[in-house]
Amino acid sequence: SQTIHQWPATLVQPVGSPLSLECTVEGTSNPNLYWYRQAAGRGLQLLFYSVGIGQISSEVPQNLSASRPQDRQFILSSKKLLLSDSGFYLCAWSPLAGGESTDTQYFGPGTRLTVL
Amino acid sequence: LAKTTQPISMDSYEGQEVNITCSHNNIATNDYITWYQQFPSQGPRFIIQGYKTKVTNEVASLFIPADRKSSTLSLPRVSLSDTAVYYCLVGRGWGATNKLIFGTGTLLAVQP
Protein backbone atom coordinates (compact mmCIF):
# COMPACT_ATOMS: atom_id res chain seq x y z
CA SER A 1 0.00 0.00 0.00
CA GLN A 2 1.02 3.58 -0.52
CA THR A 3 2.13 5.83 2.29
CA ILE A 4 3.17 9.44 2.42
CA HIS A 5 5.50 10.93 5.01
CA GLN A 6 6.21 14.49 6.00
CA TRP A 7 8.70 15.92 8.42
CA PRO A 8 9.06 17.62 10.67
CA ALA A 9 5.60 17.48 12.23
CA THR A 10 6.00 20.87 13.87
CA LEU A 11 8.51 23.66 13.40
CA VAL A 12 9.08 27.04 14.98
CA GLN A 13 11.38 29.34 13.07
CA PRO A 14 12.41 32.98 13.39
CA VAL A 15 11.65 35.49 10.65
CA GLY A 16 14.39 35.54 8.05
CA SER A 17 15.55 31.99 8.66
CA PRO A 18 15.62 29.32 5.93
CA LEU A 19 13.10 26.53 5.59
CA SER A 20 13.18 22.98 4.30
CA LEU A 21 10.20 20.65 4.52
CA GLU A 22 10.41 17.19 3.11
CA CYS A 23 7.80 14.82 1.74
CA THR A 24 8.31 11.26 0.55
CA VAL A 25 5.91 8.75 -0.92
CA GLU A 26 6.23 4.98 -0.76
CA GLY A 27 4.52 2.22 -2.65
CA THR A 28 3.95 3.97 -5.95
CA SER A 29 5.91 5.20 -8.93
CA ASN A 30 5.73 8.43 -10.93
CA PRO A 31 3.19 10.10 -8.68
CA ASN A 32 1.98 13.62 -9.13
CA LEU A 33 3.06 15.58 -6.06
CA TYR A 34 1.59 18.67 -4.47
CA TRP A 35 2.34 21.20 -1.73
CA TYR A 36 -0.53 23.01 -0.05
CA ARG A 37 -0.69 25.57 2.72
CA GLN A 38 -3.60 26.03 5.08
CA ALA A 39 -3.89 29.14 7.22
CA ALA A 40 -5.81 28.86 10.48
CA GLY A 41 -9.53 28.38 9.80
CA ARG A 42 -9.06 28.59 6.06
CA GLY A 43 -9.17 26.26 3.09
CA LEU A 44 -6.18 24.75 1.37
CA GLN A 45 -4.10 26.83 -0.98
CA LEU A 46 -2.20 24.98 -3.69
CA LEU A 47 1.41 26.17 -3.75
CA PHE A 48 3.24 23.83 -6.11
CA TYR A 49 2.65 20.68 -8.06
CA SER A 50 4.94 18.35 -9.93
CA VAL A 51 4.29 15.74 -12.60
CA GLY A 52 7.85 14.41 -12.67
CA ILE A 53 11.43 14.77 -11.49
CA GLY A 54 12.60 18.35 -11.90
CA GLN A 55 9.19 19.49 -13.14
CA ILE A 56 7.68 22.07 -10.83
CA SER A 57 4.71 24.34 -11.43
CA SER A 58 4.09 27.26 -9.12
CA GLU A 59 0.58 28.41 -8.37
CA VAL A 60 1.22 31.41 -6.16
CA PRO A 61 4.16 33.85 -6.45
CA GLN A 62 5.92 33.99 -3.10
CA ASN A 63 9.19 33.49 -1.32
CA LEU A 64 8.77 29.71 -1.33
CA SER A 65 10.20 27.24 -3.81
CA ALA A 66 9.85 23.53 -4.42
CA SER A 67 12.10 20.86 -5.80
CA ARG A 68 11.71 17.24 -6.78
CA PRO A 69 15.18 15.66 -6.78
CA GLN A 70 13.83 12.11 -6.87
CA ASP A 71 10.67 10.49 -8.18
CA ARG A 72 9.06 10.17 -4.76
CA GLN A 73 10.62 13.08 -2.93
CA PHE A 74 9.23 16.59 -2.83
CA ILE A 75 10.87 19.44 -0.94
CA LEU A 76 9.49 22.84 0.01
CA SER A 77 12.05 25.53 0.74
CA SER A 78 12.52 29.15 1.56
CA LYS A 79 15.66 31.25 1.87
CA LYS A 80 14.07 33.76 4.25
CA LEU A 81 10.83 33.09 6.10
CA LEU A 82 8.18 35.76 6.58
CA LEU A 83 5.59 35.96 9.34
CA SER A 84 2.94 35.29 6.72
CA ASP A 85 4.53 31.92 5.95
CA SER A 86 3.08 30.49 9.16
CA GLY A 87 0.54 27.78 8.55
CA PHE A 88 -0.14 24.10 8.10
CA TYR A 89 1.77 22.66 5.15
CA LEU A 90 0.44 19.58 3.49
CA CYS A 91 2.02 17.35 0.89
CA ALA A 92 -0.17 15.19 -1.31
CA TRP A 93 0.21 12.70 -4.10
CA SER A 94 -2.06 11.42 -6.83
CA PRO A 95 -1.65 8.57 -9.28
CA LEU A 96 0.05 9.17 -12.58
CA ALA A 97 -2.23 10.40 -15.32
CA GLY A 98 -4.05 7.53 -16.92
CA GLY A 99 -4.43 5.51 -13.75
CA GLU A 100 -7.71 4.25 -12.38
CA SER A 101 -8.37 7.19 -10.09
CA THR A 102 -9.25 10.62 -11.34
CA ASP A 103 -8.12 13.66 -9.41
CA THR A 104 -8.01 11.77 -6.10
CA GLN A 105 -5.27 13.11 -3.89
CA TYR A 106 -3.83 11.48 -0.80
CA PHE A 107 -2.48 13.75 1.86
CA GLY A 108 0.34 13.46 4.33
CA PRO A 109 0.11 14.26 8.05
CA GLY A 110 1.24 17.85 7.56
CA THR A 111 3.79 20.18 9.11
CA ARG A 112 2.71 22.94 11.47
CA LEU A 113 5.04 25.91 10.84
CA THR A 114 5.11 28.90 13.16
CA VAL A 115 7.24 31.86 12.16
CA LEU A 116 8.04 34.23 15.03
CA LEU B 1 -11.48 25.14 -13.07
CA ALA B 2 -15.04 24.95 -11.79
CA LYS B 3 -15.75 26.91 -8.63
CA THR B 4 -17.76 25.32 -5.87
CA THR B 5 -20.10 26.82 -3.30
CA GLN B 6 -21.08 25.06 -0.11
CA PRO B 7 -22.46 26.14 3.27
CA ILE B 8 -19.90 27.42 5.71
CA SER B 9 -21.24 25.35 8.59
CA MET B 10 -23.91 22.85 9.58
CA ASP B 11 -25.09 21.46 12.90
CA SER B 12 -26.46 18.01 13.55
CA TYR B 13 -27.09 15.49 16.31
CA GLU B 14 -25.81 12.00 16.72
CA GLY B 15 -27.78 9.40 14.78
CA GLN B 16 -29.16 11.85 12.22
CA GLU B 17 -28.58 11.75 8.50
CA VAL B 18 -26.66 14.77 7.23
CA ASN B 19 -26.82 16.09 3.69
CA ILE B 20 -24.30 18.66 2.52
CA THR B 21 -25.01 20.23 -0.84
CA CYS B 22 -22.42 21.76 -3.12
CA SER B 23 -23.06 23.95 -6.16
CA HIS B 24 -20.76 23.80 -9.17
CA ASN B 25 -22.57 25.58 -11.99
CA ASN B 26 -19.56 25.71 -14.30
CA ILE B 27 -18.64 22.05 -14.12
CA ALA B 28 -17.03 20.80 -17.31
CA THR B 29 -17.88 17.65 -19.21
CA ASN B 30 -14.85 15.71 -17.99
CA ASP B 31 -14.88 16.98 -14.41
CA TYR B 32 -15.37 14.54 -11.55
CA ILE B 33 -16.86 15.51 -8.19
CA THR B 34 -14.88 14.56 -5.13
CA TRP B 35 -15.50 15.03 -1.43
CA TYR B 36 -12.84 15.13 1.26
CA GLN B 37 -13.02 15.16 5.04
CA GLN B 38 -10.54 17.00 7.24
CA PHE B 39 -10.06 16.78 10.98
CA PRO B 40 -8.12 19.48 12.84
CA SER B 41 -4.35 19.30 12.32
CA GLN B 42 -4.67 16.47 9.82
CA GLY B 43 -4.57 16.29 6.05
CA PRO B 44 -7.83 15.89 4.13
CA ARG B 45 -9.03 12.36 3.58
CA PHE B 46 -10.78 11.17 0.44
CA ILE B 47 -14.41 10.21 1.10
CA ILE B 48 -16.15 9.62 -2.19
CA GLN B 49 -16.03 10.50 -5.86
CA GLY B 50 -18.59 10.45 -8.64
CA TYR B 51 -19.40 11.61 -12.12
CA LYS B 52 -23.17 11.31 -12.34
CA THR B 53 -26.22 9.73 -10.65
CA LYS B 54 -25.50 8.06 -7.34
CA VAL B 55 -22.39 6.60 -5.79
CA THR B 56 -22.32 4.77 -2.46
CA ASN B 57 -19.50 3.38 -0.39
CA GLU B 58 -19.11 2.24 3.19
CA VAL B 59 -18.81 5.80 4.44
CA ALA B 60 -21.20 7.96 2.45
CA SER B 61 -23.40 8.42 -0.58
CA LEU B 62 -23.03 11.00 -3.30
CA PHE B 63 -26.04 12.18 -5.27
CA ILE B 64 -25.50 13.99 -8.55
CA PRO B 65 -28.46 15.25 -10.62
CA ALA B 66 -28.57 14.92 -14.36
CA ASP B 67 -27.34 18.46 -15.02
CA ARG B 68 -24.38 17.90 -12.64
CA LYS B 69 -24.52 21.51 -11.46
CA SER B 70 -24.75 20.40 -7.87
CA SER B 71 -24.03 17.40 -5.71
CA THR B 72 -25.07 16.22 -2.26
CA LEU B 73 -22.92 14.31 0.17
CA SER B 74 -25.05 12.17 2.45
CA LEU B 75 -23.68 10.87 5.76
CA PRO B 76 -25.96 8.29 7.38
CA ARG B 77 -26.37 8.30 11.14
CA VAL B 78 -23.56 10.65 12.05
CA SER B 79 -21.59 10.32 15.24
CA LEU B 80 -19.49 12.77 17.22
CA SER B 81 -16.42 11.57 15.33
CA ASP B 82 -17.91 12.88 12.09
CA THR B 83 -17.34 16.45 13.28
CA ALA B 84 -14.96 17.78 10.65
CA VAL B 85 -14.67 20.07 7.64
CA TYR B 86 -16.02 18.63 4.41
CA TYR B 87 -14.72 19.85 1.06
CA CYS B 88 -16.42 19.54 -2.28
CA LEU B 89 -14.15 19.71 -5.32
CA VAL B 90 -14.52 19.36 -9.03
CA GLY B 91 -11.54 18.46 -11.12
CA ARG B 92 -10.74 17.80 -14.69
CA GLY B 93 -9.90 14.48 -16.14
CA TRP B 94 -6.31 13.58 -16.70
CA GLY B 95 -4.06 16.12 -18.24
CA ALA B 96 -0.91 18.07 -17.66
CA THR B 97 -2.48 20.22 -15.00
CA ASN B 98 -4.20 17.84 -12.66
CA LYS B 99 -5.09 20.39 -10.03
CA LEU B 100 -7.84 20.62 -7.46
CA ILE B 101 -9.07 23.82 -5.87
CA PHE B 102 -10.07 23.52 -2.23
CA GLY B 103 -12.56 26.09 -0.96
CA THR B 104 -13.21 26.80 2.70
CA GLY B 105 -15.41 23.73 3.04
CA THR B 106 -18.35 23.03 5.35
CA LEU B 107 -17.74 22.67 9.05
CA LEU B 108 -20.05 19.94 10.33
CA ALA B 109 -20.58 20.00 14.08
CA VAL B 110 -22.24 16.89 15.52
CA GLN B 111 -23.66 17.23 18.99
CA PRO B 112 -24.72 14.53 21.45
Side-chain angles (χ1 to χ4, degrees), chain A residues 34 38 49 95 101-103 105, chain B residues 36 38 49 91-92 94 98:
Chain A
Y34 310 82
Q38 186 173 35
Y49 69 95
S101 299
T102 305
D103 289 339
Q105 295 186 11
Chain B
Y36 289 80
Q38 185 180 27
Q49 184 181 76
R92 297 209 178 266
W94 289 108
N98 180 24

Side-chain angles (χ1 to χ4, degrees), chain A residues 49-96:
Chain A
Y49 69 95
S50 171
V51 298
I53 294 174
Q55 301 179 61
I56 309 294
S57 296
S58 175
E59 289 298 299
V60 182
Q62 58 213 325
N63 68 320
L64 299 172
S65 62
S67 62
R68 185 170 177 174
Q70 300 180 41
D71 179 46
R72 290 170 289 177
Q73 183 184 30
F74 206 22
I75 298 172
L76 182 69
S77 304
S78 174
K79 293 182 179 178
K80 288 186 177 182
L81 283 169
L82 306 173
L83 287 174
S84 58
D85 291 325
S86 293
F88 191 45
Y89 287 82
L90 288 156
C91 180
W93 75 274
S94 66
L96 178 66

Side-chain angles (χ1 to χ4, degrees), chain B residues 17-107:
Chain B
E17 177 184 74
V18 171
N19 295 309
I20 306 175
T21 297
C22 178
S23 298
H24 27 80
N25 293 319
N26 297 322
I27 189 169
T29 301
N30 59 347
D31 280 344
Y32 279 72
I33 301 158
T34 311
W35 286 79
Y36 289 80
Q37 174 192 57
Q38 185 180 27
F39 298 111
S41 296
Q42 294 186 27
R45 181 176 72 100
F46 170 86
I47 300 176
I48 197 166
Q49 184 181 76
Y51 184 80
K52 62 180 179 181
T53 64
K54 177 184 176 182
V55 179
T56 298
N57 61 22
E58 66 277 6
V59 177
S61 295
L62 179 59
F63 298 92
I64 305 169
D67 66 5
R68 302 197 333 119
K69 293 184 182 299
S70 67
S71 59
T72 300
L73 175 72
S74 180
L75 303 173
R77 297 185 299 280
V78 295
S79 64
L80 295 176
S81 62
D82 292 317
T83 294
V85 176
Y86 292 82
Y87 296 97
C88 162
L89 297 92
V90 291
R92 297 209 178 266
W94 289 108
T97 54
N98 180 24
K99 300 181 292 185
L100 295 176
I101 304 297
F102 282 80
T104 53
T106 297
L107 174 59

